Amino acid sequence: YGLDGVIKMNSSMPVDISVTNLGKDFSGKVQIIVQGGSSNKDNIAYEKDIILPSETTKDINMSVKGVSYMTSFLVQITNEKDKVVYSKSIKCNVSNTSESAIFGILSDDYSGLNYIDGVSLSNNSFIGTVKILELNEENVPTDASGLGVCNYILIDNYNTSKLSDEQVKAIKQWVMQGGILIFGTGPNYEKVFVFFCDDFINGSIGDVSKQDIIVEYSSLDGL
């Protein structure tokens, strides 16, 4: 659960569930229940239909709205008669990220970007530190709400053709809702912009070239 294990207060979080059927063919629902108040009648339920033939496994992704006091959520499976056949309570930790700028990073080399983790950041009225999350084609949500934990997404030297159409659409919707998307390209710009060289980017991409720069420094004259 969470995006790279991080949950943001009062923000949607992705939950990935893998279900294996060792019995007969099965159809029913997978449910996630979040406590919505002091009584069960205020609980919030999310569900998806599931059809699972015998001896098969299915991966399910759901987007769940967390609440500030959430310490656990319930995962259960019901059959066609609404009888609960599986139930498990999952403990979770909701992070207080109010003092962090969350950077979700898609890169082929995360180690080269670790230096920005924990650095100070001041942007308009925000003053805090950077926290980075490692994103990849396996954990990028397929809906924009699942990216709600991120303040920024950085795509750096990453082949975006690894992403599904739904994941690309989610990133674009996240931007339209106010998220800030940053591209780091260099000589591999073509693979970075595979799905973004359309009307999503207002502008054109030029050629990339290298230049040698000589910097001379004088303590009296400055640069």
Side-chain angles (χ1 to χ4, degrees):
Y1 62 87
L3 195 58
D4 193 21
V6 175
I7 306 173
K8 190 176 183 179
M9 283 188 179
N10 299 315
S11 181
S12 294
M13 67 173 182
V15 178
D16 296 315
I17 302 171
S18 181
V19 184
T20 300
N21 180 14
L22 299 178
K24 299 178 181 179
D25 293 350
F26 178 84
S27 63
K29 295 179 180 179
V30 175
Q31 299 176 330
I32 297 177
I33 300 174
V34 178
Q35 186 176 4
S38 57
S39 63
N40 290 336
K41 68 178 182 180
D42 297 320
N43 288 351
I44 305 167
Y46 304 81
E47 63 181 27
K48 277 191 175 181
D49 293 331
I50 184 173
I51 297 176
L52 203 61
S54 178
E55 304 296 332
T56 60
T57 298
K58 185 172 184 179
D59 295 327
I60 298 173
N61 176 267
M62 300 175 70
S63 183
V64 175
K65 182 68 175 295
V67 293
S68 58
Y69 49 82
M70 184 174 68
T71 57
S72 65
F73 58 89
L74 182 67
V75 177
Q76 64 183 27
I77 300 175
T78 60
N79 61 19
E80 291 178 313
K81 298 180 180 180
D82 291 329
K83 180 182 178 181
V84 176
V85 297
Y86 175 87
S87 180
K88 183 176 182 180
S89 179
I90 308 296
K91 292 184 178 180
C92 60
N93 295 314
V94 179
S95 303
N96 183 0
T97 56
S98 59
E99 297 181 356
S100 298
I102 308 296
F103 273 72
I105 297 179
L106 276 164
S107 176
D108 289 335
D109 181 18
Y110 295 103
S111 62
L113 296 166
N114 286 337
Y115 72 93
I116 68 174
D117 194 28
V119 302
S120 299
L121 177 69
S122 177
N123 182 15
N124 297 325
S125 60
F126 173 81
I127 299 176
T129 58
V130 171
K131 180 177 177 60
I132 64 173
L133 308 181
E134 292 187 6
L135 304 181
N136 54 56
E137 58 273 17
E138 299 296 330
N139 68 2
V140 171
T142 55
D143 63 278
S145 62
L147 293 167
V149 67
C150 295
N151 303 105
Y152 305 85
I153 292 179
L154 170 60
I155 301 178
D156 179 76
N157 195 31
Y158 177 81
N159 188 348
T160 55
S161 66
K162 297 178 183 178
L163 301 174
S164 68
D165 292 341
E166 290 78 11
Q167 289 173 318
V168 173
K169 183 178 179 180
I171 292 174
K172 291 182 177 181
Q173 289 179 339
W174 172 83
V175 172
M176 299 304 293
Q177 294 170 4
I180 299 175
L181 179 62
I182 304 168
F183 291 101
T185 56
N188 298 314
Y189 68 92
E190 290 183 343
K191 72 175 185 179
V192 175
F193 287 111
V194 169
F195 285 122
F196 296 92
C197 287
D198 50 21
D199 56 0
F200 180 73
I201 296 178
N202 184 15
S204 60
I205 302 170
D207 295 327
V208 179
S209 62
K210 289 185 178 181
Q211 293 185 354
D212 294 328
I213 300 175
I214 298 175
V215 179
E216 296 181 357
Y217 176 80
S218 170
S219 61
L220 295 177
D221 301 328
L223 290 177

